[in-house]
Amino acid sequence: MTDALTDDVLRARAREPELFNMVYRTYASQVLGYLTARGVEDPEAVMQEVFLAVLPRLETVTGGVAGLRTFVFSVAHARMVDEHRRRRRAPVELPFEPELDAREESSAEDEVMQRVSPQEMQDLLGILPDEQREVLTLRLIAGLTIEQSAELMGKSSGAIKQLQRRALIRLREQSAVKEYVTR
């Protein structure tokens, strides 16, 4: 970039794609290197965010080339700090690796599925009114959220919660369910 890039030129040409292209080509590799060196998880994505933030504010830059460079790197620094804060707040997500799972106990779901045959499950659900049975089927068997179940059934989330609560209370009162709980 030439030293002829004064504050007046920056203000006058701020909306021209050529100026942004020149700024991007001049500083992109340096910003990428800075973000990589500072340990940003996805430096290319953050670099794009930096230049998306720089573009609309080019006409406010003062100090010529030195001011522009300072501005670009101050935005890059702020985005880097934001990225590190975001990572600190979010838990680390590790993929499940079944071959490393050394548990010898089965899960509660596995135990229930081993104890209750599909026919017994059908019989237990048959005790319930249609809407309660539908809610339990959607929530527990299909694995839908309350909101998804509400949308599917055309009801409010609160109504779905109440139907589910009443269905579970009704099932707990059944002698067949009490047998499974005491085993």
Side-chain angles (χ1 to χ4, degrees):
M1 203 172 283
T2 68
D3 290 327
L5 202 54
T6 64
D7 295 350
D8 293 332
V9 172
L10 278 171
R11 262 190 297 287
R13 296 184 55 202
R15 298 285 178 213
E16 294 178 14
E18 296 82 30
L19 177 65
F20 181 72
N21 189 20
M22 183 172 39
V23 169
Y24 184 84
R25 280 186 283 121
T26 302
Y27 296 112
S29 62
Q30 295 169 10
V31 169
L32 182 62
Y34 171 77
L35 295 171
T36 302
R38 297 294 298 182
V40 171
E41 193 171 282
D42 188 356
E44 287 93 5
V46 176
M47 180 189 66
Q48 296 303 322
E49 290 177 26
V50 167
F51 284 99
L52 287 173
V54 166
L55 174 62
R57 296 172 47 197
L58 278 176
E59 63 192 24
T60 65
V61 174
T62 59
V65 173
L68 177 62
R69 179 179 179 77
T70 301
F71 174 65
V72 168
F73 279 93
S74 68
V75 172
H77 179 76
R79 293 300 182 271
M80 179 269 304
V81 169
D82 291 345
E83 172 70 14
H84 285 298
R85 285 181 183 152
R86 182 194 61 76
R87 280 198 347 223
R88 263 197 308 267
R89 283 191 304 262
V92 176
E93 293 184 16
L94 299 174
F96 176 68
E97 297 177 11
E99 63 275 359
L100 299 178
D101 187 4
R103 289 183 290 184
E104 296 191 17
E105 296 293 319
S106 61
S107 68
E109 180 183 357
D110 289 340
E111 286 184 33
V112 168
M113 295 310 278
Q114 289 172 359
R115 286 186 191 176
V116 182
S117 72
Q119 184 57 49
E120 289 173 309
M121 183 68 73
Q122 291 266 338
D123 293 343
L124 286 172
L125 290 175
I127 297 168
L128 300 173
D130 289 341
E131 285 188 330
Q132 291 177 2
R133 181 174 43 249
E134 182 69 15
V135 167
L136 286 186
T137 303
L138 292 173
R139 295 278 294 127
L140 303 176
I141 297 173
L144 298 181
T145 65
I146 289 174
E147 292 77 19
Q148 292 167 330
S149 301
E151 185 178 330
L152 201 74
M153 292 182 69
K155 297 193 174 293
S156 69
S157 296
I160 296 299
K161 289 178 186 178
Q162 280 300 322
L163 284 168
Q164 179 177 325
R165 184 176 131 317
R166 289 180 184 140
L168 292 173
I169 288 170
R170 190 163 185 175
L171 284 177
R172 280 188 204 115
E173 293 170 350
Q174 298 301 313
S175 60
V177 172
K178 289 179 183 175
E179 278 181 41
Y180 288 113
V181 174
T182 59
R183 281 189 194 175

